[in-house]
Amino acid sequence: MSNLAFIFPGQGSQFVGMGQDVYNTFESVRTRFQQANDILGYDLAELCFNGPEDQLNTTSFTQPAIFVNSFIMFELLAERNVKPSMVAGHSLGEFSALAAAGSLDFKSGLEIVQKRGTLMQDASNYQKGTMAAIIGMDTKQVESVCKHASDKGVVGVANYNSPGQVVISGTIEGVQAAIQLSQENGAKRAIELKVSGAFHSPLMEPALAEFNQKLDAVDLREPQIDLYSNVTAKKASDVTEIRKLLASQLSSPVLWTQTIQAMALNGAETFYEVGPGNVLTGLNRRIDRKLSTVTISSLEQIQAQEE
């Protein structure tokens, strides 16, 4: 389908039990999980299917878990000849998108995602931070609130998720000051998120040097289909540029609304959210009600592609 776009979820989409139905059904999925266990050095299937939830929600475990589940769903679609003409991924999901575009193989993708998760966890431990969703407030207003709150601590926009839903990130003091200001200035809701760190903010910069080393060492190939970057909301095809963008992404905002709009403008008529959960499906509805989005996160949804 020339107008089919695949979008891949990031952190926050994980849930205990994800992937178990396809694991029980397909030998190819069991093989992938075994490869993942060998690469990671622990039983990922056990963690995904049975938890504990606290461990699954810890960044260093969450990121490999989501990558593997997204990759498996992508492969099951490919086996049914359902292939995209363009891809993007939300934050961590960008690595799943790279794999789907032929830039990263499974092993390299999982290794770099594991490293990314560990480094982000370390950066979070080094300087405590948090994130909050600001709902029902104009983007420019949220940016202004962050600017005014930044005398209390580091705070800025982390995710432009959809019109009326912006996520902010920074130090605990900065984010809490911004929450208060946004409530005073007409936000419908301002909710601190259950995250272990201030992702997509300057607090992630301690992770950059080592992450860059890992990126330089990984075998990254030119995408075979259009790949959209979180940092620019534009197509990226040059390998050197993709490496730079993946590093910048750690401490830069995710331009998700702009990415979906750019994909639609360039011909995407149907979006498949490939991987656990349906967070991106919900965001697409808010970005543009006319967009057709299909969630692919279960055995039933995979089997529906065979009909």
Side-chain angles (χ1 to χ4, degrees):
M1 228 192 288
S2 61
N3 54 4
L4 179 61
F6 280 7
I7 49 177
F8 295 90
Q11 271 185 251
S13 296
Q14 72 279 2
F15 60 91
V16 173
M18 63 180 181
Q20 189 161 9
D21 53 0
V22 289
Y23 179 93
N24 291 339
T25 309
F26 301 112
E27 185 62 42
S28 62
V29 172
R30 292 192 285 276
T31 302
R32 276 292 181 217
F33 266 102
Q34 188 52 58
Q35 286 174 318
N37 293 352
D38 294 343
I39 293 162
L40 297 168
Y42 58 85
D43 191 339
L44 183 70
E46 175 64 26
L47 178 60
C48 287
F49 308 157
N50 301 311
E53 193 172 5
D54 285 356
Q55 189 179 350
L56 185 61
N57 290 342
T58 304
T59 297
S60 52
F61 290 102
T62 310
Q63 296 201 18
I66 290 177
F67 175 81
V68 170
N69 276 274
S70 297
F71 190 92
I72 280 162
M73 288 296 172
F74 161 72
E75 280 195 316
L76 290 172
L77 287 172
E79 284 166 19
R80 284 148 187 79
N81 214 29
V82 182
K83 293 173 184 174
S85 59
M86 59 183 93
V87 290
H90 191 289
S91 186
L92 159 72
E94 193 154 79
F95 291 86
S96 308
L98 281 160
S103 292
L104 273 174
D105 61 35
F106 179 73
K107 183 174 186 287
S108 302
L110 184 52
E111 284 174 349
I112 195 148
V113 162
Q114 183 181 29
K115 189 68 174 172
R116 182 181 186 268
T118 303
L119 290 171
M120 287 170 74
Q121 190 72 54
D122 291 348
S124 305
N125 295 340
Y126 175 73
Q127 189 172 6
K128 292 290 177 199
T130 191
M131 300 173 81
I134 311 296
I135 295 163
M137 198 176 204
D138 179 72
T139 302
K140 292 274 180 268
Q141 285 178 290
V142 179
E143 289 167 353
S144 172
V145 157
C146 288
K147 200 172 169 186
H148 284 97
S150 58
D151 59 344
K152 298 281 193 294
V154 174
V155 62
V157 173
N159 306 96
Y160 292 88
N161 277 341
S162 67
Q165 200 214 79
V166 174
V167 174
I168 61 171
S169 182
T171 58
I172 291 164
E173 300 76 16
V175 169
Q176 285 176 346
I179 286 173
Q180 192 177 338
L181 274 175
S182 57
Q183 286 167 333
E184 288 165 7
N185 285 278
K188 279 186 192 161
R189 289 167 78 199
I191 317 146
E192 195 169 334
L193 302 177
K194 288 178 183 169
V195 291
S196 56
F199 308 133
H200 303 290
S201 83
L203 272 68
M204 287 294 111
E205 280 166 13
L208 276 176
E210 207 176 326
F211 188 59
N212 266 318
Q213 282 180 340
K214 183 72 179 173
L215 274 173
D216 287 344
V218 80
D219 179 22
L220 204 59
R221 296 175 293 282
E222 201 170 292
Q224 301 302 297
I225 52 175
D226 290 345
L227 170 90
Y228 286 77
S229 159
N230 282 191
V231 176
T232 62
K234 293 175 182 162
K235 292 178 213 174
S237 58
D238 177 74
V239 171
T240 307
E241 183 198 9
I242 290 170
R243 283 186 214 275
K244 282 182 186 159
L245 290 168
L246 288 172
S248 300
Q249 194 227 57
L250 284 187
S251 54
S252 302
V254 174
L255 307 183
W256 192 248
T257 301
Q258 300 88 324
T259 297
I260 295 298
Q261 288 168 339
M263 293 171 94
L265 202 63
N266 286 314
E269 289 176 13
T270 304
F271 289 81
Y272 275 22
E273 178 178 3
V274 183
N278 58 2
V279 170
L280 302 182
T281 303
L283 294 183
N284 266 13
R285 264 190 227 109
R286 291 199 277 276
I287 292 167
D288 184 348
R289 284 206 164 272
K290 294 192 292 291
L291 297 177
S292 165
T293 310
V294 177
T295 309
I296 305 287
S297 69
S298 70
L299 174 64
E300 190 184 349
Q301 288 155 344
I302 287 290
Q303 287 171 335
Q305 302 304 309
E306 296 167 1
E307 291 161 10

